Each structure stands twice: as C-alpha cells, then as structure tokens.
Amino acid sequence: MPLDTCCRIGPRLNTTAPAYHAPESEIRKELRKWQLQHGGPNADELRAFQNHPAYRGTTNTLSRSNQPVSDESLQEHFEEDEEDLNTVELFLNPGDVAELRAHGREPFLAVYIQQIDAGRLQFYTVNGKWCHSPITLVHFVIPGFIDPALSEEAEVIYRENAGILDNAYSSLADKSRTRMMTLTKIAKALLGRNESSWEPSSAARLAVRKALLHNEFRFRSDYRSQRLTQVFAIRPKTEVQIIENVQEWVRQYLEFEADRVSGKKIDYENGPLYVSQFIEKARRLIAHSRGLREPMDGYIGPSKSPSTEMSVTWGETFSITDKQIIAFLQAWSLFQQFRKMDSMAASCAAIVQATGCYEEYTKYGYWPEKMDSHTGMLLLQEIGVVTPHDNSTIYDESLMLPTVRSSRNLELLNTKAELTRTQPDFRDSMATLRRDWGPLPVYCIDSPGAKEIDDGLSVEKVEGTDTEYWLHVHIANPTAFFGKAHVLSGLAAHMTESVYLPEMSYPMLPSWVSQNYFSLDRDRPVLTFSTRVSLDGNVLETKIQSGIIREVVNLTQVEVAEMLGENPRSLVTRFLVGGEVPDAENRPSNQLPDDQVQDLRDLYAVARALWARRKAGGGLRMDNQNKEIRVFTQSGKGPLGWSPPSMDTARFIHGDPIIEFSTTRREQKQDITAVNITEEAMLLACNTAAAWCAERGIPVMFRGTVGMPGAGMTPSEFKEKIVKPYLDRGESLNPALVHQYSAALGRSITHFSPIPHEVIGVDCYTKVTSPLRRFTDMIAHWQIEAALRHEAQTGEKFNYSSMPNPSSLPFSKRQMQDSIIALGPKEKVIAYTKRKAVNFWAAHAFARAFYFKEAELPETINVYTVNLKEGADIWDGIWNDMGIRILVRREPDVKLRIGDLWEVKIVHVGITNSEIVAEAVRLVEAAPEMDQF
C-alpha cells in the first residue's frame, strides 16, 4: 500500500513548529487497535515503568539482527552483555518516524510499525517498502505519526538554504579545536537568522542533518548514541585539511601510476612524489621490523631475540609529508574515523597495497586477509609509529581520553585543575552537620595497592538484641567541598568515570585531589549510609548523614577471608607469559585485636542475611569467574603504561611485557563467601540511597531492569522451572545457564524515577559508593546533601514535588533527564572499553603461548555453548576454567543446544579481534532438553 494512504498531508510549509502532530487518520486508529491486540508488551513486562508514562510503547531490543538495514551492522553493536541503557532508548511507538541508513546510499525515512522478534524492528519506508532493522541502526527519530509532506518540506528547506547548508562546515568549524554542538544548535546557527526565539521544525532539522551527513568526516557523530544525544563533533579545520590533502595526493599517485604504465606523460603536482617517498621509506622500515618481529593478523608478534629488559632503538625520521600520511592512516586504523566512508578507506588501502608487503602475511592468520583497517594497524606498527603492544580500544574518540586528538578540552580542564592545586579553595558545605564517628573502626576492604579508597564499613550491634545491627557504609565525600560548577566537576563530567585498564589507568579526578583530601583515611570526611538490619535480612531503619571518620583499618578481601577461616587463594587459576610479576600481596599480614575480628564476623553475618534477602527477591549471583589482567614492563617493576604514536622518528621496541591472566572461579551454588562482604554492603547502601531519594521525590540516576518481548520465559518462570531445580539438587550453575538467565532478566536501564532491579533483587537502586571514580555518584551526593541541608534548616522532610523553586536541588528533573542522556552513552563506551581491554590482553597472552610457546596450553579445553547464531558457521562458547569467550567452528549435521559442554581444540588466536577459535573434538555432556532453555 502506498504510504500516502496512511497519512494526512500537512496544509503548508512550517519551519518553526518544534514537532509534527498530524491529526489521527483512519489507518492510525487501525494501528492503535493492532498495537493493543498484538504489538505491545504486557503489563508484567512494563511493570518497571509505572513512573514513566511518556514511553509506554513497544519495547525494542539491541540484540543483533540477522537482516539489518546496513551490511556493516556487526561492527555497529556492542557485545551481548550491554551495560545500562537509557529508558528513552528502549522505546519507540508505532507511527514514529525513523531515519534509517543503508550502506552506500543516503538515509531515508520510515514509519515504525512493530517489533518482529528479540532482534528486529519492522518499518514501512517512504517509498512503500517493508524493511527490518535493529534499533542501534536508528540514529534519528521524530515522535508521532508521519506526514508525507515532511520529506518534501525538508527538501524545500534544503533547496532554499543550499548555499548556507552546503557551507555549514566553513561557518561552524574552529581552526584548531573540536566543537561539540547538538543538531538543534547547529540548525539555529545556520537557519535561525540570529533570532533567539526561533526553534527548528522537524523538517528543518532533517534538512540540516542531510547537509551534515554529506560531510560525515567533518561532522562526526557517534552511531551508538546519536539517536539519543543528537550531538555532532565538528572537526577542526587543520585536521580536515590534512586528511583531504592526503586523499588528493593518493588520487594523484594512483593516476600517475596508471599513466606511467600506459606510457602517458602528464604533469602532476607533488602528490605522487610525497606518496611514493613514503611508500619507499615504509618498505625499508617494514623490512627492518621483520628482522625483529614477525607480522600476524593485524599485529606484530613478540621479539625474535629474547631480552631481559624492554628497550627502544630509533630508525629513520619522518618528513612533514610523511607525518600527514601517517595521520591519514591513523584516522583509518587507530581512530576508526572512516566508517562507511568508502573513498577514504580505499585511499588508505591503496597506500598499504602499494608497499607490496601485505599480499601474503597471514602465517598466523585464520580469516582471509584483506586490505582493511587491521592491515593499516599492522603497517603503523611495522614502520615504528605504534608500539607492538598498543591496545587499540583506547583510541575510541568518544572516550575523549588523552590518547585521542579530540580531547583538547581535557587538556584545558587538567590545566585549570592543576592551577587550583596550591590553593584548592575547598569549603565544607556540610561542616555543621557532620557526625564524628570517633573510635568506631572503619574497615576499608580493597585490593592491594588501591590508591582511591571510596568506601569503608562499620558495624554496631543494636543494644538489647543479639539479632539486629547497624551497618554503616562510609563513602568518600568530595562533593561537600565543591559544587557542580567547579573546574574539578567539569573535569569529572568530561571523564564520566575513572578508566582502569590492565596496562594503565585514567583517573576521573586528579590523584592529588583524591589521595590528599578525600580518599578514606583518618580524619577524612564521609557521607554515611546507615541501615539497621536483622539477621533474617529485614531492613528496619535507614539514615544518611555527613560525618568524619577517625579510626581506619585497611584490609584486603583475602586477608578478611583468611581471618574468618576461609581460603580464597585456592580458587585462583593463573596464566603467565613473559616472566614473573611482583606479588602485590606480599606484605605483612594485619593482626587484628579480638574485638575487630568479631566485627568482621558480625559484618559477615549481616552480609549473609542481606544476600538471603536479595535472593528471595529474585537476585542471582552470576560472578562465577572474576577475570583480572595485569601487564608489566619486562622487569616487572611497574605497569606497562601507554606510549603515544611516534610521529617524528621510527621507534622499534625490543622485548615484550609480562602478562598475567588470573581467574577467580567460584562454584555457582548461590551462596556468598567472606570476599563478598563489601559487595553486599555496597549494594545495601545503593538500595538505601535509592529508597531515601524515592521517598523524597529526588531525581537521581536510578537503575533497574526491564524484560524484553520475545525472550521466551519470564524471569520468574525461568528461575522456577530451570534455575530452582539445579539449586534444589545442590548443583552449581554452569556459565551457559547463568548466561541464559541473565538474558531472561532483560536489559538494564537508567531513569530519573525508581524502577526495580531484577538482577540484584531490589525494588530500587542508584549508585552512590564511588564518587571518586564515577560522576553519576557525585550527582547523587550533591542531590542528597542539598536535601540534608534543607531538612536540617527546616526540621521537615524534603519533598521535591512541593518545592516552589526547581533550584532547590543542584539538578532539576529536566537536568537529570539531560544528564542521563549525556552520561549513559559514555558509561557504555567506558564499560565496553574495559571489557575489550581485558579480552585484548588475554588474546595477546594466549597468542604468545599458542604460536610462540611462551607458556604451556592444554591440548584441549572444555567449553560451554552459550550462543547459537542461526546460519553461522561458528558458535559462541565460554571456556569453563578461564571464563574466556571461545568461537567454535560449527560442524554440519551436529545438533547443538545451549548449555552443551564440549571438548575443543584451539586452532587460532587472533589479537586484532581478540578472539580464540577452536574446533570441536567431542561432546562431553549434553544440556537438558528444555525447549525454553
């Protein structure tokens, strides 16, 4: 049916209306009926959204689609274990207009109809065709039913303003600094004619988007969050000029080579000379590198000559034009800036191919080679620009770390923060409200060598009873000393979180701020979340109060467990290449007095009661394998760190880092050990904070879960029918079962009103325990402190809904919504980066063991089947002992089920994609035959 039979045509062009709200047509009414009957999630699936009426629509999933609109969709998705998602991001309503993209053509509009299954959404396009797409490929949405005139009006606006829109970059870009602007701000700057009250219509925004997408490199957008944020990064003119110059040089070079072969004599500018000089130099450097290391699939292997120390030698220098070509190749292979920009990617591939060094280099490869960005990464390593051990995940532009050029704002913020170091001007806004905790011991239980101590625990038995305790969770309190407008707050907002990677870390706040003023120690300020609990797990009373701690006892989880008679070290599996690492726990053991050991016993008893409460609420422990990677210089004296690309002179690294991969494996019998004491206390503090804020109507970043349509069983059904029988028999849960139950629980979301969290097993949850490491925790602390001051001044409980002035809190509800939209995507990118970094270094270690025999690997390993992709020639598994993802070749006519335990043999380890590939040897144990499993 043609699209115009579904909709009404708008009567006239309107460039100022903020959105379209077309009159309801007959087909719209029919869609509503269809939606009520077939399309929407049931009441049980939407139970978490009782406070979110604006988005009660059809639920969308971010699972991968088998038939996406774009043929590059596999690169456009995060891994299956997504982190928190934004509430708005999960929902579309039938009739919403979406902008979809297919590779190699301009975006087009389509009406959202329904969700087909857990991975696909159905749309009806403006040219009358049906198509399916995952929601991650939807980058722009106009709520409300489509008016066919919308597309035409956008075209009219574009034609009437073509001169302005086609020159948008020239008028908006800065010479040397990246500018961040929303689509609305860009539209106002281009079409607003300096009228401050003018707001762009949907058609106007579409017209502006069209102009920006014609210049995708100049106007960068993050495909993972574009639909939410509508933010564009406008690249500086100097950077764009270099990229466009080199692309022109490559074009001239290719034409020159073609003319030379055909015998033509044509005068060219200097482009062919610059490119040919670089290629000749690259060949010499590659030849030198291959005397030191062998090329692998996208990375170079370890040093051929063993060395006791890592060292550097220097090679040829790079000319000014060499540096520009290198910058061009880095944009392609390091920063991934040329996604879907075929002409630029082809120019880079032409440079690599012209060296003649990468036709057959896959001695250690498994996948068919091609001249892609991974080959570009290999070239940069072999010519001595990028180190052999560079973790490419840290070059994601959306991280805005010092590793990327677009983080100039970070440099400015760090400079301003450093200027405050001698006179930080910290003033305690909670000084008159602080409770002095005096001699009460505060137990800070953290990993060895931890620098930022965010939290500590205290316990007090309630007088007159042997079954009730006050559990106090003391949290570092920087927010009481500077507000949201302080330069340190700006720095924290930019970073969003501390980024901890195996080779190094990037703290959210400068170390001098955390360690000198706020990391927990004697006489330090805290915000304390206190809960009176009984040993049957009931919460009887809660308090939040500012305070000062005096008596601090530092312990590790292992020390606590051993004092309580447990031996957690026996559960650790360790894999090592490159040498020995320093023993971080080789320090004098704490000898605590009897009363403090009793405190630890009381903390353990309370933690077990809290876990029993969460377990009854649906919580499930899924941490059967805790993976940790440590990377050291060859001497083992310190972490490897990061070396920026060498742009002036070719740099060759001799020697390789020590990589330690360790897995702490726990039997999944749904109980806790002493190492979980802090975890349970932190979860309680977050639940207490969420309930306290919910009771007062305070908007914070609440976190919860929502079930997905098409997921099979509901969480309660899955737990009762599949999980409970295992637990009743006393059996542990295998990784595949945990993976399936996690999927049944749905997706994590963030919202400004409280929602249940099925995974944790609590009715509300917000993160408050790491304000030195997470900006969202700082926001929650500012909100809570403002309410505490109000209650102290008025003697009345704070009630946000009755406040006449929205500024009664540092963040209004509207600002909290904006913060969720801004911070949520960045949190996901950071979480993804951390996971990828662990996988990257694990692949490095296992590649050195598998190909270069630096450590012994078992002949075969046992792998649980966790994911079966229809039509794929591989299946996903989890290495039972190490908790690592394994890709297993799928044999024809072999029946597979989720949860099967297979013996497999490793056949390939790929560093580029951090993947281990194996072949099945035999079925060890078949999974139970459960259709819903």
Side-chain angles (χ1 to χ4, degrees):
M1 68 181 173
L3 187 62
D4 55 10
T5 63
C6 317
C7 327
R8 297 195 179 180
I9 297 177
R12 62 186 177 85
L13 177 64
N14 181 355
T15 61
T16 59
Y20 278 82
H21 299 285
E24 185 163 78
S25 63
E26 290 302 315
I27 191 65
R28 175 69 165 177
K29 294 175 183 176
E30 292 302 314
L31 275 173
R32 283 190 185 281
K33 292 179 184 178
W34 188 95
Q35 166 69 15
L36 289 172
Q37 185 177 357
H38 303 289
N42 59 39
D44 182 64
E45 290 165 328
L46 285 179
R47 64 194 179 280
F49 289 88
Q50 54 202 356
N51 296 318
H52 200 263
Y55 300 103
R56 288 176 183 159
T58 300
T59 312
N60 299 328
T61 178
L62 297 187
S63 300
R64 291 179 177 139
S65 170
N66 290 327
Q67 294 177 315
V69 169
S70 169
D71 60 3
E72 295 186 18
S73 64
L74 288 182
Q75 281 104 34
E76 298 200 355
H77 292 282
F78 287 123
E79 295 176 344
E80 295 294 334
D81 49 342
E82 290 276 0
E83 292 297 311
D84 295 316
L85 309 177
N86 186 273
T87 303
V88 181
E89 188 178 2
L90 287 173
F91 290 90
L92 288 180
N93 286 294
D96 285 349
V97 181
E99 178 192 83
L100 303 180
R101 304 188 69 182
H103 189 56
R105 58 171 291 187
E106 287 204 357
F108 56 93
L109 297 182
V111 182
Y112 170 61
I113 303 298
Q114 63 170 323
Q115 178 167 329
I116 297 296
D117 53 31
R120 291 179 297 167
L121 313 180
Q122 186 180 53
F123 294 89
Y124 191 66
T125 71
V126 289
N127 26 348
K129 295 182 180 180
W130 297 99
C131 70
H132 299 154
S133 172
I135 196 170
T136 42
L137 302 188
V138 179
H139 297 170
F140 183 63
V141 171
I142 303 171
F145 201 60
I146 188 171
D147 187 327
L150 176 61
S151 183
E152 297 172 12
E153 291 177 12
E155 289 298 324
V156 170
I157 294 172
Y158 192 97
R159 286 196 300 270
E160 291 180 348
N161 298 275
I164 296 173
L165 295 176
D166 290 344
N167 291 284
Y169 180 76
S170 298
S171 59
L172 295 175
D174 184 81
K175 182 179 180 181
S176 59
R177 184 176 62 88
T178 299
R179 294 188 68 190
M180 310 294 289
M181 295 181 71
T182 63
L183 176 63
T184 298
K185 287 185 178 180
I186 292 173
K188 293 181 74 169
L190 296 175
L191 304 178
R193 297 175 177 82
N194 298 319
E195 296 178 17
S196 58
S197 61
W198 185 85
E199 291 292 330
S201 66
S202 297
R205 288 186 293 138
L206 273 176
V208 172
R209 275 186 63 84
K210 179 179 179 180
L212 303 186
L213 294 178
H214 284 168
N215 296 274
E216 280 193 278
F217 178 73
R218 295 175 172 187
F219 294 93
R220 177 179 68 85
S221 63
D222 190 334
Y223 63 90
R224 296 162 296 193
S225 59
Q226 173 69 185
R227 183 166 70 88
L228 259 178
T229 64
Q230 288 299 304
V231 169
F232 288 85
I234 307 172
R235 298 191 189 279
K237 293 180 178 179
T238 52
E239 180 181 336
V240 169
Q241 187 64 55
I242 289 172
I243 297 300
E244 293 179 352
N245 282 348
V246 175
Q247 187 178 25
E248 175 61 18
W249 295 348
V250 175
R251 184 192 66 79
Q252 293 175 10
Y253 170 79
L254 294 175
E255 290 183 357
F256 172 81
E257 287 296 304
D259 292 340
R260 184 173 62 83
V261 171
S262 64
K264 293 181 181 179
K265 293 185 178 180
I266 300 176
D267 291 333
Y268 288 91
E269 297 182 13
N270 291 326
L273 176 63
Y274 299 152
V275 175
S276 61
Q277 286 177 338
F278 174 80
I279 289 170
E280 288 302 318
K281 184 177 293 183
R283 287 171 180 158
R284 295 193 298 271
L285 293 171
I286 291 168
H288 178 72
S289 173
R290 291 184 181 181
L292 305 174
R293 300 172 183 268
E294 290 194 67
M296 301 177 69
D297 62 333
Y299 270 82
I300 51 179
S303 292
K304 292 181 178 180
S305 301
S307 174
T308 57
E309 292 287 339
M310 293 183 68
S311 60
V312 176
T313 57
W314 301 95
E316 299 185 52
T317 59
F318 296 119
S319 67
I320 294 176
T321 55
D322 288 341
K323 294 176 186 178
Q324 294 182 48
I325 295 172
I326 290 170
F328 188 61
L329 293 171
Q330 283 182 323
W332 177 48
S333 57
L334 269 189
F335 304 117
Q336 299 294 311
Q337 293 175 352
F338 297 164
R339 290 181 62 260
K340 295 186 179 179
M341 301 177 198
D342 291 346
S343 63
M344 288 186 171
S347 296
C348 292
I351 296 173
V352 176
Q353 192 166 23
T355 65
C357 300
Y358 297 98
E359 302 302 323
E360 296 181 2
Y361 74 93
T362 54
K363 176 181 177 181
Y364 303 103
Y366 172 66
W367 308 113
E369 74 267 17
K370 58 181 179 179
M371 298 297 172
D372 59 10
S373 61
H374 299 318
T375 317
M377 180 69 168
L378 177 59
L379 180 143
L380 290 175
Q381 290 184 320
E382 291 202 287
I383 66 173
V385 172
V386 176
T387 71
H389 321 104
D390 221 1
N391 175 7
S392 60
T393 60
I394 64 176
Y395 294 100
D396 189 324
E397 289 187 289
S398 295
L399 284 172
M400 295 187 287
L401 293 175
T403 53
V404 297
R405 292 188 297 271
S406 60
S407 58
R408 294 186 182 91
N409 289 341
L410 179 59
E411 295 176 15
L412 295 174
L413 287 166
N414 273 319
T415 300
K416 291 181 180 178
E418 186 64 25
L419 293 176
T420 69
R421 184 169 185 168
T422 55
Q423 293 181 319
D425 194 29
F426 294 148
R427 292 186 176 88
D428 189 359
S429 62
M430 308 299 290
T432 60
L433 304 181
R434 292 203 182 276
R435 171 181 174 178
D436 192 326
W437 289 96
L440 183 69
V442 176
Y443 301 96
C444 295
I445 305 171
D446 219 316
S447 57
K451 299 292 192 299
E452 302 163 340
I453 308 298
D454 282 287
D455 53 78
L457 310 177
S458 296
V459 64
E460 295 180 290
K461 185 175 288 187
V462 175
E463 292 187 12
T465 176
D466 291 330
T467 59
E468 294 179 11
Y469 295 85
W470 276 104
L471 175 60
H472 307 293
V473 180
H474 308 281
I475 306 299
N477 194 206
T479 52
F481 292 82
F482 54 86
K484 67 177 186 178
H486 196 278
V487 63
L488 293 176
S489 304
L491 179 59
H494 178 100
M495 291 291 296
T496 304
E497 291 182 20
S498 293
V499 181
Y500 296 108
L501 303 174
E503 69 272 30
M504 68 175 306
S505 61
Y506 299 91
M508 182 182 75
L509 292 172
S511 58
W512 65 265
V513 174
S514 299
Q515 295 176 28
N516 295 349
Y517 293 94
F518 301 118
S519 183
L520 293 199
D521 206 340
R522 294 174 61 91
D523 305 324
R524 291 282 172 89
V526 292
L527 186 63
T528 300
F529 299 85
S530 301
T531 311
R532 184 162 66 96
V533 296
S534 62
L535 290 184
D536 57 8
N538 289 324
V539 173
L540 307 175
E541 187 179 353
T542 62
K543 295 179 184 177
I544 301 180
Q545 50 199 326
S546 300
I548 296 177
I549 56 174
R550 305 294 186 185
E551 187 67 29
V552 174
V553 181
N554 290 294
L555 298 166
T556 68
Q557 291 179 334
V558 170
E559 287 174 336
V560 171
E562 290 177 342
M563 289 178 189
L564 296 177
E566 296 181 356
N567 182 20
R569 298 176 196 265
S570 62
L571 302 176
V572 177
T573 302
R574 188 166 172 259
F575 183 83
L576 188 69
V577 295
E580 288 296 325
V581 299
D583 187 356
E585 296 194 27
N586 187 19
R587 65 177 194 178
S589 298
N590 277 301
Q591 299 296 321
L592 300 187
D594 290 345
D595 59 333
Q596 292 188 358
V597 174
Q598 183 59 47
D599 282 348
L600 296 181
R601 294 194 185 100
D602 291 343
L603 284 170
Y604 196 10
V606 172
R608 296 179 71 87
L610 293 172
W611 160 236
R613 169 176 168 260
R614 289 201 303 111
K615 184 178 177 182
L620 185 73
R621 301 201 64 81
M622 301 185 191
D623 58 342
N624 65 314
Q625 278 144 340
N626 179 35
K627 301 187 290 289
E628 182 182 7
I629 293 267
R630 296 195 297 165
V631 183
F632 295 88
T633 58
Q634 202 164 46
S635 64
K637 294 178 181 177
L640 179 65
W642 172 68
S643 298
S646 180
M647 299 292 290
D648 296 319
T649 308
R651 172 189 56 199
F652 297 98
I653 308 295
H654 304 269
D656 299 284
I658 300 167
I659 306 174
E660 180 194 51
F661 181 91
S662 59
T663 303
T664 303
R665 189 166 180 269
R666 303 181 180 93
E667 292 296 322
Q668 282 291 357
K669 294 187 177 180
Q670 296 308 296
D671 202 356
I672 67 170
T673 65
V675 299
N676 303 119
I677 291 174
T678 301
E679 176 190 357
E680 289 298 327
M682 297 305 110
L683 291 173
L684 177 65
C686 293
N687 179 220
T688 296
W692 194 90
C693 291
E695 186 180 355
R696 291 160 175 79
I698 298 173
V700 293
M701 191 179 286
F702 292 97
R703 300 168 191 261
T705 54
V706 60
M708 292 296 179
M713 294 184 186
T714 64
S716 57
E717 289 173 334
F718 195 102
K719 184 176 182 181
E720 185 66 27
K721 294 180 180 180
I722 296 179
V723 175
K724 190 173 183 295
Y726 274 81
L727 302 182
D728 290 345
R729 294 193 299 267
E731 297 180 21
S732 60
L733 304 183
N734 65 56
L737 186 60
V738 171
H739 181 87
Q740 290 299 107
Y741 184 51
S742 177
L745 289 172
R747 293 293 191 183
S748 296
I749 59 171
T750 52
H751 191 34
F752 57 82
S753 295
I755 45 181
H757 204 303
E758 294 274 6
V759 177
I760 296 174
V762 295
D763 54 356
C764 55
Y765 181 79
T766 187
K767 292 182 179 180
V768 294
T769 57
S770 297
L772 299 180
R773 296 184 285 118
R774 280 195 301 260
F775 186 64
T776 55
D777 297 43
M778 293 179 69
I779 291 176
H781 279 224
W782 277 316
Q783 300 286 78
I784 290 169
E785 288 159 6
L788 287 173
R789 289 191 296 269
H790 174 90
E791 292 183 355
Q793 291 165 4
T794 64
E796 299 178 355
K797 180 185 288 187
F798 184 88
N799 185 350
Y800 183 64
S801 62
S802 65
M803 292 292 117
N805 188 353
S807 64
S808 56
L809 289 175
F811 291 82
S812 67
K813 184 175 289 188
R814 176 70 252 177
Q815 290 172 320
M816 198 67 242
Q817 288 177 283
D818 292 342
S819 296
I820 289 173
I821 289 173
L823 298 172
K826 182 74 175 292
E827 282 190 349
K828 286 200 300 180
V829 171
I830 292 172
Y832 175 74
T833 300
K834 290 176 180 178
R835 290 194 303 272
K836 290 290 286 184
V838 169
N839 294 337
F840 168 82
W841 285 109
H844 243 295
F846 286 108
R848 286 166 61 179
F850 183 72
Y851 291 117
F852 302 98
K853 312 305 178 187
E854 292 193 30
E856 185 176 353
L857 285 173
E859 284 292 322
T860 60
I861 60 176
N862 286 343
V863 172
Y864 277 105
T865 308
V866 296
N867 193 14
L868 300 173
K869 297 182 177 71
E870 184 179 351
D873 58 358
I874 58 172
W875 51 265
D876 287 349
I878 293 291
W879 186 349
N880 189 37
D881 293 330
M882 303 297 289
I884 297 174
R885 179 172 177 254
I886 304 291
L887 301 178
V888 184
R889 294 177 183 174
R890 194 167 190 166
E891 299 296 331
D893 304 323
V894 174
K895 185 179 179 181
L896 295 169
R897 284 196 297 268
I898 302 277
D900 284 346
L901 181 63
W902 283 83
E903 181 184 357
V904 304
K905 181 178 181 180
I906 296 174
V907 295
H908 168 68
V909 181
I911 297 175
T912 300
N913 293 319
S914 304
E915 58 199 8
I916 301 176
V917 182
E919 292 179 340
V921 175
R922 66 182 182 91
L923 178 65
V924 176
E925 182 181 347
E929 292 202 36
M930 299 179 186
D931 293 339
Q932 301 280 9
F933 187 80

